[in-house]
Amino acid sequence: MQSYILGIDIGTGSTKAVAVALTGKALGVVQNHYPINSPEPGYSEQDPLLIWDAFVKCVRDITVKIGYAPAAISFSSAMHSIIPVDEMGAPLSPMITWADSRSENIAQELRASAQGAEIYRITGTPIHAMSPLCKLIWLRTNKPELFIQATQFISIKEFIWFKLFGSFEIDYSIASATGLFDILKLDWSAEACALAGIRADKLSTPRNTTYYRNNLNPDTAALLNISPQTSFVIGASDGCCANLGSHTTGPGIAALTIGTSGAVRIASPKPVYNFEGMTFNYLLNQDTFVCGGAVNNGGIAINWLLQNFLQKEKLTSADYDELFASIDTIPAASEGLIFLPYLYGERAPLWDTKTSGAFLNIKPAHTQAHFLRAALEGVCFALYDVLKTVEDASVNITQVNISGGFVSSATWTQILADITGKKLVVLQPEDASAVGAIYLAMQVLHPESYDQLTHVDNQIVIEPNAQNHERYSKLFPTFKKLYRDLMDSMHRLHELDI
């Protein structure tokens, strides 16, 4: 039997378990989904117990699939969630997810203040409604009884960790995404806690991302179908794990992911600050920062177009092949048609929850294929905007390691290469975040195995087309300017609420 490590990625819509042998061979993948609830406009909530159930089922399913239990389990998790709990770790309300925007006015006021700039410098977290800092201020103001009743405020990973070990502990990576953690002192920030109106003891004990335990309660071990001596590594956030899992930790290399949303990230020995663009600075470990920016509108914007604009509710592989074949007949830059992809507001580098999507420069010659190509180009332009922001504040980026569902489309990846002018590389066919969690476990539990995995074979390389990049380079300044020109009108329309 091959010993293996199980990487658990606790995502917004599902929990995924990836099993990898110490040799690096993938042994199996399972996934379990759960709903997101929106009881009011701008709310995004989930039931933590359903996510716990999904985690349990993932572990049990993978042990059945492989036939025996893992040697270790390590965690990756979505960031920015917050759950008020009692002293026994029981939720007092639903979990508020990263996508919840109820605190947007609080974030705007803080971002416009002198204190906002200082909090950003200390914590490295963008001041935005996604931040647990802003969520806590909202809870204190709007639900004071719940705020006072809560013994602790924790994330979804902390919730699962507490159910495993009965201890409130948080890794440096998730902590560094709260807006409450001093990323240089590696402890809770007194200034940020005072702003939120809480004491530091209302937050979990910070631990390095390679911290592990192996004293599981026998009843919990039986529930999971594993040994009580199985090592559990606390792990990191999904974005930081994705950088490690896609081997994006060297200088001049960026990781870019497009799934429902999208992100650009680099690894750095120090924070990369840009208050206007609000680059994030999250910790992979005590010595490494993962810096970059995330966008709201990735695959979700393309799905909107296919489902509502092109009336394609359910697409088969043949449908996608046909659509992308039609895109390939359209020249780069879609003959001047531009798509601003800000359907769901935007994070980096705009940080504007009131912006919206738009097609511009529509002409009689533009066909359905033009609109679809322009949509892909718009998403790529938005990510290029983030890439430029990160690059301008750090180092020249020569290679971009890509991951996410979009890598299966040769058309989409070529458009991204042509817009950025960068060499793109696909390194990790499995879930990069779950694999990154596995690598963290290997670093601390099996360093000799990790050292043998640093070389990656079978790379897929996409080189930019120089002529297309030149065309896109002429269009990109107009893409950026259009948001600034239309911002006031977008905000007025948002306030009309009609």
Side-chain angles (χ1 to χ4, degrees):
M1 297 189 303
Q2 298 184 79
S3 291
Y4 71 93
I5 296 175
L6 191 60
I8 301 289
D9 182 38
I10 309 164
T12 305
S14 68
T15 289
K16 180 183 286 187
V18 176
V20 173
L22 297 183
T23 60
K25 180 182 178 182
L27 300 180
V29 178
V30 297
Q31 188 172 16
N32 286 286
H33 297 264
Y34 30 78
I36 303 170
N37 304 312
S38 183
E40 296 183 39
Y43 282 45
S44 179
E45 299 180 340
Q46 289 181 302
D47 183 346
L49 292 172
L50 291 180
I51 300 176
W52 164 257
D53 290 342
F55 159 71
V56 171
K57 192 171 189 309
C58 277
V59 176
R60 293 183 64 88
D61 286 352
I62 204 76
T63 58
V64 170
K65 186 173 185 176
I66 295 176
Y68 53 96
I73 295 174
S74 186
F75 290 97
S76 160
S77 176
M79 294 171 277
H80 311 303
S81 60
I82 195 161
I83 315 164
V85 298
D86 64 18
E87 67 277 5
M88 300 304 294
L92 301 176
S93 73
M95 179 180 81
I96 304 174
T97 80
W98 68 269
D100 194 283
S101 62
R102 72 185 76 174
S103 62
E104 64 179 69
N105 290 333
I106 291 169
Q108 287 175 353
E109 290 177 9
L110 179 58
R111 191 161 60 244
S113 69
Q115 188 178 23
E118 179 63 9
I119 290 294
Y120 170 69
R121 185 194 63 78
I122 293 170
T123 68
T125 303
I127 298 172
H128 184 262
M130 70 181 184
S131 165
L133 168 63
C134 297
K135 293 181 172 80
L136 283 173
I137 296 172
W138 186 92
L139 285 170
R140 188 190 71 210
T141 305
N142 294 275
K143 294 192 174 183
E145 292 182 2
L146 173 62
F147 187 81
I148 294 170
Q149 184 185 2
T151 301
Q152 300 284 134
F153 295 98
I154 63 176
S155 70
I156 187 58
K157 190 203 283 190
E158 294 162 81
F159 177 75
I160 289 175
W161 193 263
F162 185 86
K163 288 186 73 66
L164 290 170
F165 298 108
S167 179
F168 290 114
E169 295 175 307
I170 184 172
D171 65 83
Y172 288 162
S173 189
I174 293 294
S176 67
T178 61
L180 297 157
F181 191 71
D182 189 318
I183 57 175
L184 298 180
K185 295 180 179 178
L186 301 179
D187 203 355
W188 299 113
S189 161
E191 295 91 337
C193 286
L195 185 61
I198 61 170
R199 302 186 310 272
D201 61 8
K202 291 273 189 177
L203 303 170
S204 298
T205 302
R207 305 291 189 188
N208 198 10
T209 54
T210 51
Y211 172 79
Y212 68 96
R213 283 176 171 266
N214 52 13
N215 56 338
L216 198 62
N217 179 285
D219 291 339
T220 306
L223 175 67
L224 295 171
N225 197 30
I226 61 174
S227 164
Q229 296 309 308
T230 302
S231 295
F232 281 79
V233 179
I234 200 166
S237 67
D238 51 4
C240 291
C241 282
N243 266 55
L244 185 60
S246 61
H247 299 267
T248 312
T249 54
I253 305 175
L256 187 150
T257 304
I258 303 178
T260 301
S261 55
V264 176
R265 304 175 301 272
I266 63 167
S268 172
K270 59 183 180 181
V272 175
Y273 293 112
N274 183 318
F275 184 67
E276 183 180 354
M278 284 280 175
T279 49
F280 59 64
N281 296 276
Y282 303 144
L283 285 156
L284 173 60
N285 54 47
Q286 61 188 16
D287 301 313
T288 308
F289 293 89
V290 171
C291 312
V295 301
N296 287 351
N297 301 277
I300 194 170
I302 304 304
N303 287 339
W304 164 83
L305 181 71
L306 296 175
Q307 293 174 7
N308 300 303
F309 196 80
L310 302 183
Q311 296 184 338
K312 297 281 187 179
E313 188 64 35
K314 291 185 178 180
L315 290 153
T316 64
S317 296
D319 289 329
Y320 276 111
D321 290 342
E322 182 181 348
L323 285 167
F324 283 115
S326 70
I327 293 170
D328 286 335
T329 66
I330 306 301
S334 300
E335 297 186 294
L337 182 63
I338 295 178
F339 177 57
L340 299 184
Y342 311 128
L343 296 171
Y344 299 90
E346 192 52 288
R347 284 182 283 174
L350 308 183
W351 300 104
D352 186 351
T353 57
K354 297 177 182 178
T355 190
S356 57
F359 280 100
L360 295 110
N361 198 32
I362 303 171
K363 295 180 178 179
H366 290 141
T367 65
Q368 184 183 82
H370 284 85
F371 279 85
L372 186 52
R373 184 179 184 98
L376 296 179
E377 290 172 342
V379 170
C380 292
F381 271 137
L383 283 161
Y384 183 44
D385 200 5
V386 178
L387 182 65
K388 291 285 289 180
T389 300
V390 174
E391 193 172 36
D392 291 347
S394 57
V395 297
N396 182 49
I397 294 169
T398 58
Q399 177 178 314
V400 179
N401 295 348
I402 59 174
S403 61
F406 88 113
V407 300
S408 61
S409 167
T411 299
W412 199 345
T413 54
Q414 189 62 56
I415 288 173
L416 180 65
D418 293 348
I419 284 177
T420 61
K422 309 291 186 184
K423 178 177 76 171
L424 308 185
V425 179
V426 182
L427 293 174
Q428 184 51 257
E430 302 297 335
D431 184 282
S433 294
V435 171
I438 291 168
Y439 288 173
L440 280 171
M442 284 187 176
Q443 286 176 1
V444 65
L445 300 174
H446 301 279
E448 70 290 344
S449 296
Y450 178 74
D451 290 341
Q452 295 174 8
L453 297 176
T454 55
H455 177 70
V456 182
D457 297 317
N458 303 319
Q459 297 182 5
I460 300 172
V461 177
I462 302 101
E463 296 284 358
N465 179 297
Q467 184 177 2
N468 288 347
H469 179 60
E470 184 178 356
R471 299 182 75 175
Y472 285 128
S473 296
K474 292 177 181 177
L475 193 61
F476 181 63
T478 301
F479 172 87
K480 286 176 61 71
K481 186 174 183 295
L482 280 169
Y483 163 73
R484 297 192 295 271
D485 292 345
L486 295 172
M487 181 180 67
D488 288 343
S489 295
M490 288 177 175
H491 288 185
R492 289 193 191 101
L493 289 168
H494 178 86
E495 297 300 335
L496 285 176
D497 193 27
I498 55 175

